[in-house]
């Protein structure tokens, strides 16, 4: 038995019976709202970016964790992908219907380095799909996989990306490290490793691109992702020239910046080296976006599809440092998250529009405190009982905090309810 089998998800059909066709002002708060039209436009734009550069695209579903959102990310018609990234096995198991649909998803990447207690589950999941890719960044992870395969000789051969740390310092191996060289030697020359594990490619994620402030600066980091992945591929091919590798690069800001990247700029960045593998972009947050993405300069506010609705529940005139005071809302840490970013506050009020000088300035578990953003702005109190819409700092964590999402389509009427695959 695996953890996903014990996690009960909300009943989508019951939610639809309760909330479909209701207006936003009739909904309980706090709740997440996603504008499907904006979400889909973001998805199609990213697929178009990849098509223009003649590279593949591998969407990450970690922000919304839903079947419906994944379908939109994968695209349809001429622009579509057959690859996907998951960050939990809960996501992976619940996406299996996509394997049997016309979308023909054939390639799953589980995006955390392997841990021994989950290997049996990974091995079983691999039997349900054409291709499972794993992520590794240490030689001992290879030993964990080989140990399983030696004990289960009829299991599928493992297929792995090696993660390259190109500046984020969250996970991965740097190109200059002894550990990378040791890991490459082990996977490519050790007889047991070669029998049980295939080196599929290299994976870069410029997480520090979230601190970019312009699309041009994000583009430079995209080029650096490609160069670093290519550098690792050169090292691997120096050991085994027969390798056919995949270079997977991207973060939401750098993938957005692929829109302005030219083939000539890519060739110039590679210098005397040609591309040593098949290039693919990956990203996840781009379909929803948030204040952090807005701060990068790669999107506009109208590109943000996810927001949180809440109610103003109290007012405190002359409290705090800015006029006219502060207000209380029924959305705190567990609804919004405690993420911060270059744009101050934990969220920004966008509706009603006449109150958009209010930000979420402080948080407790179930409460949020609205404070004025610009003290020189003629800020009016929001009437108690008013429903507001807030753009959060980080939509991934906000979405993970909510049990379902109300879906609208360029309006204020609920057209669907998406149930995320929460859990591990």
């Amino acid at each position: 038995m695996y953890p996903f089998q014990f996690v009960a998800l909300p009943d989508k059909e019951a939610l639809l019976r309760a909330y479909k066709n209701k207006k936003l002002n009739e909904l309980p708060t706090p709740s997440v709202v996603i504008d499907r039209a904006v979400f889909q436009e973001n998805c199609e734009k990213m697929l178009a970016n990849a098509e223009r550069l003649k590279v593949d695209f591998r969407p990450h579903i970690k922000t919304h964790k839903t079947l419906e959102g994944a379908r939109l990310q994968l695209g349809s018609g001429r622009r579509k992908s057959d690859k996907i990234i998951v960050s939990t096995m809960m996501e992976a198991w619940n996406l299996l219907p996509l394997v049997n649909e016309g979308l023909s998803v054939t390639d799953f990447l589980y995006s955390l380095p392997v841990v021994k207690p989950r290997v049996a589950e990974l091995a079983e999941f691999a039997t349900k799909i054409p291709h499972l890719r794993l992520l590794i960044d240490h030689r001992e992870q290879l030993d964990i996989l080989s140990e399983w395969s030696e004990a289960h000789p009829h299991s599928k051969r493992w297929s792995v990306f090696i993660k390259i740390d190109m500046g984020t310092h969250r996970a991965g191996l740097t190109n200059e490290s002894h550990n990378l060289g040791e890991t490459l030697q082990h996977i490519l020359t050790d007889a047991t490793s070669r029998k049980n594990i295939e080196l599929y490619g290299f994976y870069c994620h410029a997480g520090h691109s979230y601190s970019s402030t312009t699309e041009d600066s994000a583009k430079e980091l995209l080029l650096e992702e490609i160069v670093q992945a290519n550098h690792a591929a050169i090292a691997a091919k120096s050991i085994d020239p027969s390798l056919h590798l995949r270079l997977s690069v991207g973060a939401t800001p750098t993938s957005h910046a692929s829109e302005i990247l030219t083939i000539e700029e890519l060739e110039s960045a590679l210098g005397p080296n040609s591309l040593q593998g098949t290039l693919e972009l990956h990203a996840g947050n781009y379909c929803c976006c948030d204040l952090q993405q807005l701060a990068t300069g790669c999107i506009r506010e109208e590109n943000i599809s996810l927001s949180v609705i809440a109610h103003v529940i109290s007012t405190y005139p002359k409290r705090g440092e800015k006029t006219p005071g502060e207000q209380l809302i029924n959305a705190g840490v567990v609804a919004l998250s405690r993420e911060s970013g270059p744009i101050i506050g934990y969220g920004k009020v966008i509706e009603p529009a006449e109150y958009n000088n209010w930000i979420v300035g402080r948080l407790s578990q179930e409460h949020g405190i609205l404070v004025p953003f610009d003290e020189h702005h003629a800020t009016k109190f929001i009437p108690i009982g008013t429903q507001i819409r807030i753009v959060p700092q980080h939509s991934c964590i906000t979405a993970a905090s909510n049990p379902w999402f109300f879906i609208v389509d360029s309006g204020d009427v609920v057209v669907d309810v998406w149930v995320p695959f929460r859990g591990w």
Side-chain angles (χ1 to χ4, degrees), residues 123-143:
E124 182 167 339
F125 184 76
T127 67
K128 310 295 184 184
I129 61 174
H131 304 290
L132 174 65
R133 318 296 178 187
L134 302 181
L135 202 65
I136 65 106
D137 68 352
H138 198 283
R139 171 189 162 157
E140 289 185 17
Q141 295 155 2
L142 298 173
D143 294 336

Side-chain angles (χ1 to χ4, degrees), residues 162 321 369 374:
I162 293 178
E321 299 176 354
I369 305 297
D374 181 358

